[in-house]
C-alpha cells in the first residue's frame, strides 16, 4: 500500500498489467521514451522494453485502427489519446469498428482495447484541451465508458477495463491527476496526500465496471456525478447544507441503474452534475432514466448543472466550469418542494 | 510589394471527367500497360529505395514480355484457381438472380475481378489473415467455405452464421482467414496493419492482407494504415483493387491522371507494385513476393491490381447510366477466367470439354447448396430467433438489453 | 405548385439555390453526372454545369474540410454524405472545425455549409445504412440539425439551411423519400401522391429553422417526433385511440422549446419517439427538458420509445424499428394515470 | 499447399528510435542535405511527371552550389525579412518569460524556424490566405500586425481581439491573411484546399498556403487535403514544417528513414520540393515558384521545409528530457536569422552596428507594446465582459445561451 496520486495509480495499473500479461501493449503520442505529456506512462518503456510501450505517429485514427487489428489478433492494446478532444479523428474507428466488431461477426472477432485519455477542464487548456466527450460515447452501443474520481478507483477500474474483452473508453479527469479539486479556483493546490482514496495497493486489484460508489450518504436529495465533478459535488453539498446523497457513477456504460434508482426513490430529489455542455449531454439520459423509474417518488424537477452550451472558453474557464456554488443553488431549489 | 494579385487569372476550378460517358466511345488509351521496371522481379528483400519505379510498371505473366515473375505453379493448382474463379462467377450470377427474385435485400458481384479474391486465397497460408473488401467472395470460395453457409448469410435465414445481423455478403469467417466485413469502406485497412504488428510482436510469420478499392484510397484510413505499416515495418500486404470505378465515379476522382495507385507507396517508404489483376499468375506472383518480403522481416508492400468492374456496383446500381455500355469490351486486360483457361489449354492441361463438364458440376453443386439454403428459408421467410438480436453487443449482456428483450417479449 | 416526392422536393430546393446564388456548390460521392445514389441531385450537373455539382473522392473528412475552406472563402457549399452512417469519418471536421470556427475566430471566419445526408432505417440497409446519428450532433455546440418529415418541409427547411450562415446537418429520412410510411412493414407502398404535404411550390420559399409543427392537435398526451417517426407516430396515435397532440420537431437544434412546453403543460403526458437507439439518444435531452419545464403538469412518467440498444440488425429490422404498436402501448400506459 | 508458415521467423515488431537521446551524441548524418535535382529551378509550369526527383533534393540559395533558385530580392526586402525574423524571436522570448512570470497560461516559440513564418508572409499577396500552424507568429509580425494586439490575445485580457475565447497564440487575423488557428493539429490543412478551390471557382488568382508540422502529416487530414488538391488542381501551396520533432517524438515516427516528406507529393500527382527552411531566400523562392504554378492554373505544390525546433515544444515542455542538450548545435542548416544577416553583411547592405541598433529599437517597441497590454491586464487580471462568453456560438443566439446567460446573471 502506498500513497499515490492519480498519475501514479494509473501508471501502477499499467505496470501491473505489462508485467502480468504479455498481450498488453501501450502506445500513443509521446508515451514511449518520454512517458507521456502528463507523465502517466513514465518509466514503462525503460522497464518493459520498447515493444511494450512506444510512440506512435500523430494519427488518432491510425492508433485506434492499429489497436483494433492487434486486438483481433490476440493482444490487449492500451492506446493513449493525448487529450480526449483529440479522440474525434478516431471516432469512426471507435464507433463503426471497435464497438461493432463483436456483434457483426457473431463473436468471431472483438476489440479488447482500452483507450485511455485525459479529459475535462480546470487547467486553462482552452477549447481543445478541456472538453468532456462522454455523451457521444455513451450513445454508442458496444462501447463502455469509465471515469474514475480517485487514485484507488483509477487503478482498480483501469485494470478491470484492460481485462475486459470489450472496448472501453477510459477517461481520466486531468484536473484530478495531482490532487482532489473542489471546483473553486484560486485556492492553494491540494495533493492527494492524506486522502484515504489515495491509499493504493501496489499489486493487482480490480474495481468492477458498472458499480457506482456512494461517495456520501444522505437522505434528502441525490446528486449524480462522475470524475472531477464528484469532488465539486462534495463541496457543493457542503455549501448547500442539504443532506444529499452523492453517487459517483464511476462508469457511465455500464451504468449502475440500481444504485441510482434506490437512492432517488429514497430521497425524492435529484441533481445531476457534469462538466460537458448541457444540451444533449449525458445528464439528459440520467434525467430521463430517473424520471422514468422514480417518477412517483420525485418531489421536485430533476435539475442538471453542467457546462454552458458554448465551447470551452479560455479566459472564462471559471465562469464556464460548473462549480460548487451552482450545485448548492440547485440543491436549495429542489429542497423548496417538501 | 506584397500585392501580387495578377489580373486575368488563368485559374479555374478543374473537375476531372472520364474519357467517355454513355453514348461515347470507351477507351483505356490514357492508362499505361507497359511493364516498365517490372519486367524484372527484384529480390523480395531488396531495399525500397531501389524499387521506386515498380509502381509505374506492370507485373505480368500471362502474355507479358518477360517471364521473370512466373511463380511456377503446378497445373493442379492452376486448375484449382480456375475452378474457384469459375465457381465464384457462377455463384454470384446465381445470387444476383436470387436478389432479383426477392430472396434477399442486396447483393454484389466481382465479375471480371475474380483473380484478386482467388489467387491470394490459394497462395497465402491458413494462418494468414485477409481483411477483405466486399469484392472478395472468391477468397472464401477458393478455400471451400460451404456455399450453403454463404447463401444462409445472404438470406439472413435461421442458419445464417452471422445470425441475421449483417447485410448480405458482409461475411466473417475467422477459420478461413477472412476478417469481418462491414458496410463502411476503408475502415479495416488499418486493422490489417495492427493484426500484422501483433503477429510480428509474437515473432510469428503470419502475414495480413489488407484490401481496399481504388476509390476508397481517398479515405484517411488508407494513409494512416500505410503510415503505420511503413514505420513499424508491419508484415502486411496492402492491396488496392483498381477496378476503374467507384459506383458511378471514375478512378480519376481518386487519383489524378498521370499517376498510379501503386506509386502512392513511395511516400511511405515501402515498395509499390502495379500488377495485372486479371492475370491469375501475376496476382499470385505479386502476393508471393510481398509475403516473402513480409516474412523476411522487411515489412509491408503496397500492390495495385489493375482490373475492371464488369458488373454493376451492386444490385442497386445500373452502370449503363454513367458509362458506355461496351466499356468492358474495351478493357485491355481481358477476363481472368478466360485467360487462365486459355493458358491451361495451351499447356495441354485443360480443354473446352473439361471446362464444360466443370461448369456443369459446379452448377449442380450450387443448385443443391441453394436448394438446401432455401429449405431453411429466404429473407423474411426465416430468421434466427429474435432474442438473438440482443446478444453480442458486449460479451455479457447488460441490463439495458435484458430489459429490452423482456419488453419485446422474446 | 406541383406534387413532389421528397427526392423531388429536395432536388427542387437545390435547383432553386443553384439558380439564384452563384456561391452555392454541391459535391459529394456520385452526386455529379450520376445524380446521387438516391437520385437527389439528378439533372443538376447537366443543368448548372460541372463546377456547380460534382463528384468527390470517397473521403468524408476531405469533403467536409473542403466545404469549410470554401465556406470561409465566401461560398455556400452543400456537400452530400452518401449515408449518415458515413458522416463519422468527418466527425472531427464537423465538431472541431465547422462548429467552432465562428466562435473561436470571434466571427472572422464561419462555415455556412449544409451537410445533406440520408438517415434512418426501414429499407433493409443493415447496420451501416440505417443509423440515426442526430444525438451526437445535438450535443455539439455550434451545429444545427434539421430533419424534415414531408416534401414541403424538406424543400423549405433545406433552403433555410442553405441560407443560414451556420453549419447545418440536414438529415433526410430515406424511408420517406418516395412516400409516407407508417412503420408497418409489408403493406403496399404508398407514394406522396394525394398528400397535402406533397404540394410543393416550384419557386423559392422557406420554412424557418427552429419552429416545430403541430402535426396533430390533441388534448390528452403529447408525442414528440421527427423525420420518419412523425408518420409512425400518427399511426400509433390512431391505433391507441388516445387524443394525443403530435409535435413534429423539424429541427432538433435549434429546438422549439416553447411549442413543446406549451403542449405538455396542456396535456400533462409526454411520449418521445425516435429511431436511434435509446440510451444516450436525443430522447434523453427531450425528456430532461420536459420534466424540468413541465414537472408540475406531468401526470405520468415521460416515456421514450426508440431503437433498442443494439446495432441495427439486418434480419431483425422490423423487430428493431420502433413501430406504431410500441407507441400505442406507451400511450396507453401514460393514460393509466389520470 | 496453402500452409506456408515457416518456422523460426525473422519477423519482430520494429519500433524506430532516434540517433541519440539525452547523454548520447547528437548527429544528423542520416539526413541527406544534397541539392540533387533541385540544383536547377524548373519552370513553374513544368509537368509534374518531370519533377519527381525534386522531393529528394534540397532547394538552397544561401550557401548552395548553384544560384538557380535565387529569387533576386532587393536589399530593402531582405532587411525587412531580417527585421521581421529578429522581431519574432525577441517577441517570443519576451512572451515566454511573461509565461514564466505567470502572466499567461501557455506559450509556444518558433526559435530557429522564423524564416518559415516570415518569408511566405512577405512573398505572398495581401489577398492570399495562410492556414498556419502555431509556429507562424512570424507571419503576423512580418505583416506588422500590432504587437499589442498579439499580447492582448496572449493575455486573454479585455482587449483580446478573440474575446478571451482562445488559448494564447491561437490567433485569427483575416485582414492579415491569417486563418483561425485551433489546438487540433492538422484539421485546417484541407481548409486551405477548399479555400483555394473557391478562389479558382471565381477565377481569382489568390492562393492558399496550408502549413502542417512533419509529425502531423500522419493524420488522415494530410492525405485528404493532398488528394483533393491533386484532383481539383487547387491553387494551394501545401507546406510541411519539418523541424525534426513532434513534442518528444522524432521524425522517424512520422515517416520511415530513407524517405522524405516532400516525396509524399509523388503519390498525389503534384510536385514536391524539399527546401532549406533556414535559408530565407530558399523559402521565399520555393513559395514563389509554387505560387506562380498555382496562379498559372497548374495546381498545388507540396513543400517540405527542413528546419530544427531549437526551443521546447511549448512552455509545458522540457526537451532535455528526450533529446541531447546540444542537438541544436549539430543542426547543419544553422540559424535563419544569422544566415540572412551574414548574407546582408556580405552584400555590404548590413553591419553589426546596424543590427545592434535594430535589436535595440525592436526591444523598445516590444517593451512598450507589452507595457500597453499589461496596462489592460494579464490573464486573470482582466478579461472581456463575461456576457461575451455566450456570443458567437451561432450568428444569432438561441434560447439556450440566452437562458444560461440570464442564469449566470451577466
Ligand atoms: C465510409 C464510406 N463512405 C461511402 C460509402 C458508400 N460506398 C459504398 S461502396 C462505394 C464505392 C467504393 O468504390 P471502390 O473503393 O473503388 O470499390 P469497388 O466498389 O469499386 O470495389 C461507396 C462510395 C461507404 N460504404 N463507406
Ligand atoms: C489532433 C491532435 N492530436 C494531438 C495533438 C497534441 N499535439 C499538439 S502539438 C503536437 C506535436 C505536433 O508536432 P509537429 O506536427 O511536428 O509540429 P511542431 O510542434 O513540431 O511544429 C501534438 C501531438 C493535437 N494538438 N491535436
Ligand atoms: Mg473501384
Ligand atoms: Mg515538428
Amino acid at each position: 500500500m502506498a500513497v499515490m496520486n492519480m498519475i501514479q495509480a494509473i501508471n501502477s495499473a499499467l505496470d501491473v498489467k505489462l508485467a502480468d500479461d504479455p498481450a498488453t501493449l501501450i502506445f500513443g503520442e509521446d508515451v514511449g521514451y518520454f512517458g507521456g505529456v502528463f507523465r502517466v506512462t513514465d518509466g514503462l518503456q525503460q522497464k518493459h522494453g520498447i515493444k511494450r510501450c512506444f510512440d506512435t505517429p500523430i494519427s488518432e485514427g491510425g492508433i485506434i485502427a492499429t489497436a483494433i487489428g492487434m486486438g483481433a489478433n490476440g493482444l490487449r492494446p492500451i492506446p493513449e489519446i493525448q487529450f480526449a478532444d483529440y479522440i474525434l479523428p478516431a471516432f469512426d474507428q471507435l464507433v463503426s469498428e471497435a464497438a461493432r466488431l463483436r456483434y457483426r461477426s457473431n463473436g468471431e472477432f472483438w476489440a479488447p482495447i482500452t483507450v485511455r485519455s485525459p479529459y475535462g477542464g480546470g487547467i486553462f487548456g482552452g477549447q481543445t484541451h478541456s472538453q468532456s466527450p462522454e455523451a457521444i460515447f455513451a450513445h454508442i452501443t458496444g462501447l463502455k465508458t469509465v471515469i474514475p474520481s480517485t487514485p484507488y478507483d483509477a487503478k482498480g477500474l483501469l485494470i478491470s477495463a484492460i481485462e475486459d474483452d470489450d472496448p472501453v473508453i477510459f477517461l481520466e479527469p486531468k484536473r484530478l491527476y495531482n490532487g482532489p479539486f473542489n471546483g473553486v479556483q484560486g485556492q492553494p493546490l491540494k495533493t492527494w496526500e492524506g486522502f484515504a482514496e489515495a491509499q493504493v495497493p501496489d499489486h493487482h486489484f480490480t474495481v468492477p465496471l458498472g458499480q457506482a460508489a456512494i461517495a456520501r450518504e444522505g437522505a434528502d436529495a441525490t446528486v449524480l456525478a462522475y470524475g472531477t465533478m464528484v469532488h465539486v459535488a462534495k463541496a457543493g453539498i457542503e455549501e448547500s447544507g442539504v443532506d444529499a446523497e452523492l453517487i459517483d457513477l464511476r462508469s457511465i456504460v455500464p451504468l449502475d441503474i440500481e444504485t441510482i434508482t434506490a437512492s432517488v426513490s429514497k430521497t425524492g430529489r435529484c441533481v445531476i452534475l457534469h462538466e460537458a455542455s448541457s444540451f444533449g449531454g449525458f445528464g439528459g439520459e440520467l434525467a430521463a432514466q430517473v424520471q422514468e423509474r422514480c417518477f412517483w417518488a420525485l418531489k421536485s424537477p430533476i435539475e442538471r448543472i453542467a457546462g454552458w452550451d458554448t465551447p470551452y472558453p479560455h479566459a472564462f474557464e471559471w465562469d464556464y466550469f460548473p462549480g460548487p456554488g451552482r450545485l448548492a443553488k440547485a440543491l436549495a431549489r429542489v429542497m423548496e418542494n417538501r | 510589394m506584397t500585392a501580387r494579385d495578377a489580373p486575368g487569372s488563368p485559374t479555374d476550378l478543374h473537375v476531372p471527367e472520364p474519357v467517355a460517358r454513355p453514348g461515347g466511345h470507351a477507351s483505356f488509351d490514357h492508362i499505361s500497360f507497359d511493364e516498365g521496371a517490372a519486367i524484372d522481379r527484384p529480390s523480395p528483400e531488396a531495399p525500397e529505395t531501389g524499387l521506386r519505379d515498380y509502381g509505374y510498371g506492370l507485373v505480368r505473366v500471362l502474355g507479358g514480355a518477360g517471364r521473370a515473375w512466373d511463380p511456377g505453379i503446378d497445373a493442379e493448382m492452376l486448375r484449382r484457381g480456375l475452378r474457384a474463379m469459375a465457381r465464384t462467377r457462377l455463384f454470384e450470377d446465381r445470387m444476383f438472380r436470387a436478389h432479383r427474385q426477392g430472396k434477399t435485400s442486396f447483393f454484389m458481384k466481382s465479375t471480371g475481378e475474380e483473380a484478386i479474391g482467388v489467387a491470394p486465397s490459394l497462395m497465402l497460408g491458413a494462418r494468414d489473415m485477409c481483411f477483405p473488401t466486399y469484392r472478395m467472395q472468391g477468397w472464401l470460395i477458393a478455400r471451400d467455405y460451404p456455399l450453403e453457409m454463404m447463401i444462409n448469410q445472404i438470406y439472413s435465414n435461421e442458419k445464417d452464421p452471422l445470425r441475421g445481423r449483417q447485410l448480405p455478403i458482409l461475411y466473417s469467417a475467422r477459420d478461413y482467414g477472412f476478417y469481418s466485413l462491414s458496410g463502411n469502406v476503408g475502415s479495416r485497412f488499418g486493422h490489417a496493419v495492427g493484426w500484422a504488428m501483433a503477429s510480428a510482436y509474437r515473432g510469428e510469420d503470419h502475414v495480413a492482407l489488407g484490401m481496399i478499392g481504388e476509390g476508397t484510397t481517398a479515405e484517411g484510413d488508407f494513409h494512416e494504415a500505410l503510415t503505420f505499416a511503413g514505420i513499424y515495418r508491419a508484415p502486411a500486404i496492402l492491396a488496392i483493387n483498381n477496378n476503374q470505378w467507384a459506383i458511378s465515379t471514375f478512378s480519376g476522382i481518386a487519383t489524378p491522371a498521370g499517376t498510379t495507385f501503386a506509386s502512392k507507396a513511395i511516400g511511405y517508404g515501402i515498395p509499390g507494385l502495379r500488377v495485372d489483376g486479371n492475370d491469375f499468375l501475376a496476382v499470385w506472383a505479386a502476393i508471393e513476393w510481398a509475403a516473402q518480403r513480409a516474412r523476411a522481416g522487411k515489412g509491408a508492400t503496397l500492390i495495385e491490381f489493375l482490373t475492371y468492374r464488369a458488373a454493376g456496383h451492386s444490385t442497386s446500381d445500373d452502370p449503363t447510366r454513367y458509362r458506355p455500355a461496351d466499356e468492358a469490351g474495351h478493357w485491355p486486360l481481358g477476363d481472368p477466367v478466360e485467360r487462365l483457361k486459355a493458358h491451361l489449354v495451351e499447356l495441354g492441361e485443360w480443354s473446352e470439354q473439361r471446362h464444360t463438364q466443370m461448369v456443369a458440376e459446379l452448377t449442380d453443386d450450387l443448385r443443391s447448396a441453394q436448394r438446401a439454403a432455401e429449405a431453411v428459408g429466404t429473407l423474411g421467410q426465416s430468421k434466427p430467433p429474435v432474442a438473438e438480436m440482443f446478444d453480442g453487443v458486449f460479451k455479457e449482456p447488460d441490463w439495458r438489453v435484458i430489459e429490452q428483450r423482456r419488453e419485446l417479449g422474446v
Side-chain angles (χ1 to χ4, degrees), chain A, chain B:
Chain A
M1 194 74 91
V3 174
M4 295 188 194
N5 65 25
M6 201 183 276
I7 292 172
Q8 292 161 332
I10 295 169
N11 184 281
S12 173
L14 296 170
D15 185 32
V16 163
K17 287 310 300 174
L18 285 174
D20 85 3
D21 184 357
T24 57
L25 257 165
I26 294 168
F27 46 94
E29 297 158 17
D30 303 297
V31 305
Y33 184 89
F34 184 53
V37 297
F38 289 102
R39 327 288 318 128
V40 174
T41 55
D42 193 27
L44 298 177
Q45 178 178 96
Q46 287 72 2
K47 181 164 171 193
H48 299 279
I50 196 169
K51 292 184 214 312
R52 304 296 301 286
C53 179
F54 57 86
D55 292 333
T56 60
I58 301 173
S59 174
E60 293 76 14
I63 291 169
I64 302 302
T66 302
I68 298 169
M70 288 176 165
N73 195 0
L75 299 187
R76 213 171 261 290
I78 315 163
E80 172 179 306
I81 301 293
Q82 202 164 82
F83 286 87
D85 315 71
Y86 307 139
I87 292 186
L88 298 181
F91 196 60
D92 185 50
Q93 279 297 326
L94 289 168
V95 177
S96 302
E97 295 295 337
R100 303 290 154 78
L101 188 55
R102 178 190 294 282
Y103 189 82
R104 75 176 192 232
S105 72
N106 190 27
E108 283 198 332
F109 299 95
W110 61 93
I113 69 176
T114 299
V115 182
R116 293 182 38 250
S117 196
Y119 87 96
I123 61 153
F124 271 113
Q127 296 185 31
T128 64
H129 301 92
S130 306
Q131 292 170 90
S132 300
E134 69 278 4
I136 61 175
F137 298 119
H139 184 45
I140 304 306
T141 51
L143 286 185
K144 297 184 178 175
T145 301
V146 175
I147 311 179
S149 72
T150 69
Y152 183 91
D153 281 356
K155 178 168 177 180
L157 289 167
L158 180 54
I159 293 179
S160 290
I162 295 169
E163 294 177 353
D164 195 283
D165 283 335
D166 290 307
V168 181
I169 312 290
F170 190 86
L171 294 174
E172 301 171 1
K174 64 172 96 73
R175 181 61 216 230
L176 301 182
Y177 271 157
N178 291 301
F181 175 62
N182 67 5
V184 182
Q185 184 221 10
Q187 297 172 319
L189 287 180
K190 269 191 197 143
T191 68
W192 280 106
E193 198 78 43
F195 286 85
E197 309 94 305
Q199 293 288 337
V200 183
D202 290 307
H203 54 72
H204 180 286
F205 71 94
T206 59
V207 172
L209 308 186
Q211 289 188 11
I214 299 189
R216 180 193 191 284
E217 290 200 25
D220 293 336
T222 300
V223 176
L224 304 179
Y226 44 90
T228 311
M229 288 297 126
V230 172
H231 302 267
V232 175
K234 279 188 195 152
I237 291 169
E238 203 160 312
E239 184 177 331
S240 73
V242 173
D243 182 23
E245 184 145 296
L246 170 58
I247 299 182
D248 175 357
L249 298 179
R250 298 203 288 203
S251 75
I252 63 171
V253 177
L255 181 69
D256 184 350
I257 194 73
E258 281 174 30
T259 299
I260 295 169
T261 47
S263 177
V264 181
S265 302
K266 174 178 80 176
T267 63
R269 299 179 184 88
C270 180
V271 181
I272 296 158
L273 185 59
H274 64 59
E275 194 178 342
S277 55
S278 180
F279 198 82
F282 190 64
E285 180 61 34
L286 289 172
Q289 292 284 355
V290 167
Q291 70 81 32
E292 270 162 43
R293 290 163 196 268
C294 311
F295 184 80
W296 302 107
L298 282 176
K299 299 174 188 146
S300 276
I302 303 159
E303 294 233 12
R304 291 181 293 166
I305 301 296
W308 309 118
D309 289 313
T310 74
Y312 214 114
H314 182 250
F316 306 114
E317 174 140 42
W318 300 107
D319 306 295
Y320 183 92
F321 190 98
R326 284 183 60 204
L327 176 62
K329 274 192 218 149
L331 282 169
R333 278 194 301 271
V334 297
M335 289 311 294
E336 279 168 21
N337 308 304
R338 305 224 162 223
Chain B
M1 188 82 194
T2 61
R4 300 219 166 204
D5 304 344
S9 162
T11 57
D12 194 2
L13 184 60
H14 171 75
V15 181
E17 291 184 87
V19 174
R21 289 294 193 183
H25 292 289
S27 154
F28 292 97
D29 293 350
H30 55 291
I31 299 179
S32 158
F33 297 98
D34 258 350
E35 287 172 71
I39 193 95
D40 289 325
R41 181 186 194 268
S43 158
E45 307 201 17
E48 174 272 334
T49 45
L51 302 174
R52 289 180 185 150
D53 286 344
Y54 282 78
Y56 300 100
L58 189 68
V59 173
R60 310 190 66 167
V61 177
L62 296 174
R67 287 289 176 276
W69 285 91
D70 191 329
I73 315 169
D74 63 26
E76 183 51 36
M77 180 56 88
L78 291 179
R79 279 191 295 265
R80 217 169 128 186
L82 180 66
R83 186 183 174 86
M85 292 197 291
R87 202 163 167 227
T88 302
R89 186 166 300 176
L90 292 166
F91 175 78
E92 293 182 345
D93 286 345
R94 182 167 286 267
M95 288 297 103
F96 195 86
R97 286 198 303 278
H99 171 266
R100 290 282 183 259
Q101 293 156 359
K103 294 174 181 169
T104 188
S105 58
F106 181 77
F107 193 69
M108 298 178 95
K109 295 166 80 174
S110 63
T111 312
E113 312 172 47
E114 293 90 345
I116 296 166
V118 168
S121 178
L122 296 176
M123 198 283 125
L124 290 171
R127 300 187 58 195
D128 298 325
M129 182 64 72
C130 175
F131 293 74
T133 69
Y134 44 66
R135 292 208 201 282
M136 292 185 78
Q137 310 197 65
W139 175 286
L140 288 175
I141 289 175
R143 292 193 174 198
D144 291 322
Y145 184 89
L147 294 173
E148 189 187 327
M149 294 262 278
M150 290 175 77
I151 306 175
N152 290 335
Q153 197 280 327
I154 292 165
Y155 290 168
S156 281
N157 68 18
E158 202 188 327
K159 289 197 173 168
D160 171 5
L162 300 186
R163 316 313 295 140
R165 295 183 192 155
Q166 271 287 42
L167 206 62
I169 82 166
L170 300 184
Y171 311 105
S172 176
R174 187 176 187 121
D175 294 343
Y176 294 78
F178 192 92
Y179 188 71
S180 161
L181 264 166
S182 171
N184 309 55
V185 297
S187 47
R188 273 91 45 215
F189 209 55
H191 300 193
V193 176
W195 193 98
M197 286 170 69
S199 169
Y201 169 77
R202 286 193 296 258
E204 296 167 355
D205 72 348
H206 312 313
V207 306
L209 167 63
M211 186 67 70
I212 200 166
E214 95 292 341
T216 307
T217 61
E219 293 281 8
D221 305 86
F222 174 79
H223 174 66
E224 296 171 347
L226 282 161
T227 298
F228 278 67
I231 286 163
Y232 301 110
R233 293 191 199 148
I237 307 168
L238 297 168
I240 300 163
N241 174 332
N242 178 4
N243 63 4
Q244 313 307 320
W245 289 96
I247 310 184
S248 74
T249 303
F250 85 119
S251 64
I253 296 285
T255 206
T259 186
T260 70
F261 290 93
S263 73
K264 294 183 188 288
I266 294 171
Y268 303 99
I270 66 172
L273 301 177
R274 193 160 167 270
V275 178
D276 180 344
N278 286 7
D279 173 348
F280 181 87
L281 283 88
V283 176
W284 180 294
I287 294 283
E288 185 170 42
W289 187 91
Q292 285 170 355
R293 185 176 184 87
R295 297 197 220 275
K298 301 293 176 195
T301 302
L302 181 68
I303 305 178
E304 172 185 358
F305 291 118
L306 275 169
T307 184
Y308 182 79
R309 196 197 75 206
H313 173 72
S314 72
T315 45
S316 319
D317 186 42
D318 173 8
T320 64
R321 300 188 73 137
Y322 53 78
R323 67 185 190 186
D326 64 344
E327 205 185 63
H330 290 77
W331 176 242
L333 300 180
D335 179 276
V337 179
E338 294 306 320
R339 283 173 70 193
L340 183 56
K341 178 182 155 201
H343 177 62
L344 273 163
V345 170
E346 205 180 290
L347 291 177
E349 295 284 355
W350 198 242
S351 67
E352 277 303 335
Q353 197 197 334
R354 287 176 75 177
H355 198 81
T356 311
Q357 194 190 324
M358 177 186 77
V359 168
E361 275 169 33
L362 292 174
T363 306
D364 273 356
D365 280 5
L366 269 169
R367 202 177 289 130
S368 39
Q370 190 178 12
R371 220 176 277 133
E374 291 185 4
V376 182
T378 58
L379 180 66
Q381 296 180 341
S382 158
K383 64 183 174 188
V386 176
E388 286 192 37
M389 170 170 77
F390 294 103
D391 292 345
V393 178
F394 293 124
K395 193 175 183 188
E396 304 296 339
D398 74 13
W399 57 267
R400 297 175 298 171
V401 288
I402 293 170
E403 282 189 5
Q404 290 172 4
R405 186 176 152 172
R406 199 179 306 135
E407 187 180 336
L408 189 57
V410 292

